[in-house]
Amino acid sequence: MSAGKIDPMEQFMVEPMMGRSLHVLGYDVSFTNSAFFMIVVFMLLALFMSGGLKRQLVPGRWQVMAESAVSFIDNMVNTSIGKGGKKFAPYIFSLFFFILFANLIGVLPLAIVPGLHTFAVTSHITLTAILAFLSFGIVLAVGLFKHGFRFFSLFVPHGAPLWLMPVIIPVEFVSFMVRPFSLALRLFVAMTAGHILLEVFGSFVVQGLNAGGPLGWLVSALSFVMIVGVSALELLVCAIQAYVFALLTSLYLHDAVHLH
């Protein structure tokens, strides 16, 4: 990064913690900032759910929140998957709240403290792709285990005329195969775009203050207002993207369980 300039992509760099790399047998196995924040997400999720394990006769606020979270996912699974969907609730729960916590941690304003900054793990296509292909793999495994080769009837819509099958079947197959890519890209793009916007407007604030004068102060003030607005929007996007990812996974599981 050049002096006096802010690189909006620098925040996405995966770097070894404490600046030290570790190589084993020629492979880089360094403990990175990405791995650190994934552990933080896991620990916060475990801490959150620990409140739901108390099972007090008169539940406190923490237990109520945890039980409400479980009820929310349970309702999603029952509505989206239907009969036989209860067994997938733990996975959908883990998926939704891991993404939600990771998204929210990524927008924490820790950078106001010198030397600290958050890392949005869901802004990396590698992580979102792993989650998407894991979900897709579960869908394939469930469909093939439950229905065998009849699972491929998913590509043959009921009531469609036979003469259209040479066109419909390839279209249905392609639309099915792009599901993991759309899942991964949707989350990745949404989180990356929001963080880039915040970085860009933050650079406008700094540059406006450095420029001085009425125009510089005006640019800084307007940019700060935009930061507040984008931050509020980011919080909404964090929840929406987690919900969409979990909901679409549930709908794909519905197809695997019930076919048409």
Side-chain angles (χ1 to χ4, degrees):
M1 183 173 63
S2 302
K5 294 184 178 180
I6 297 177
D7 183 4
M9 303 305 295
E10 186 181 20
Q11 60 184 311
F12 304 117
M13 291 180 61
V14 178
E15 300 174 327
M17 294 294 292
M18 310 300 293
R20 296 181 179 179
S21 299
L22 176 63
H23 292 81
V24 176
L25 299 177
Y27 293 94
D28 189 349
V29 293
S30 305
F31 184 68
T32 63
N33 50 353
S34 178
F36 172 75
F37 275 96
M38 280 190 275
I39 292 175
V40 170
V41 171
F42 172 77
M43 293 177 63
L44 290 177
L45 182 56
L47 180 63
F48 172 70
M49 286 311 301
S50 66
L53 300 177
K54 296 179 180 179
R55 300 185 181 278
Q56 297 176 347
L57 184 60
V58 181
R61 295 180 181 178
W62 197 345
Q63 184 177 342
V64 169
M65 286 192 299
E67 291 178 353
S68 298
V70 173
S71 178
F72 170 74
I73 297 300
D74 192 53
N75 290 334
M76 178 193 295
V77 168
N78 290 334
T79 303
S80 303
I81 303 178
K83 184 179 180 182
K86 194 85 170 179
K87 66 186 75 168
F88 302 108
Y91 175 69
I92 300 299
F93 180 93
S94 302
L95 193 64
F96 174 82
F97 280 98
F98 177 83
I99 294 174
L100 178 63
F101 279 37
N103 290 349
L104 291 176
I105 288 175
V107 297
L108 288 176
L110 293 185
I112 60 177
V113 179
L116 293 179
H117 66 88
T118 56
F119 185 87
V121 296
T122 47
S123 64
H124 275 252
I125 189 65
T126 49
L127 177 66
T128 61
I130 288 173
L131 295 177
F133 279 95
L134 175 62
S135 298
F136 188 68
I138 292 174
V139 169
L140 287 177
V142 170
L144 291 172
F145 178 79
K146 185 176 179 63
H147 304 287
F149 288 108
R150 196 164 65 89
F151 173 69
F152 296 105
S153 66
L154 191 67
F155 308 136
V156 184
H158 286 307
L162 290 177
W163 61 275
L164 277 178
M165 288 304 169
V167 176
I168 292 177
I169 292 177
V171 169
E172 289 289 330
F173 176 76
V174 171
S175 66
F176 180 81
M177 295 303 295
V178 300
R179 287 178 175 182
F181 298 98
S182 64
L183 274 178
L185 286 173
R186 183 182 293 106
L187 177 58
F188 157 70
V189 171
M191 299 312 300
T192 302
H195 284 74
I196 290 176
L197 276 177
L198 288 174
E199 189 82 8
V200 169
F201 284 121
S203 69
F204 287 167
V205 172
V206 174
Q207 292 173 10
L209 292 175
N210 290 337
L215 183 59
W217 285 96
L218 178 61
V219 170
S220 295
L222 292 177
S223 298
F224 181 77
V225 171
M226 291 300 299
I227 288 176
V228 174
V230 172
S231 298
L233 182 61
E234 272 287 274
L235 292 176
L236 182 61
V237 169
C238 288
I240 290 177
Q241 289 301 319
Y243 177 76
V244 169
F245 201 106
L247 178 63
L248 288 177
T249 300
S250 300
L251 293 174
Y252 298 157
L253 284 169
H254 173 271
D255 291 342
V257 173
H258 302 290
L259 294 181
H260 292 292

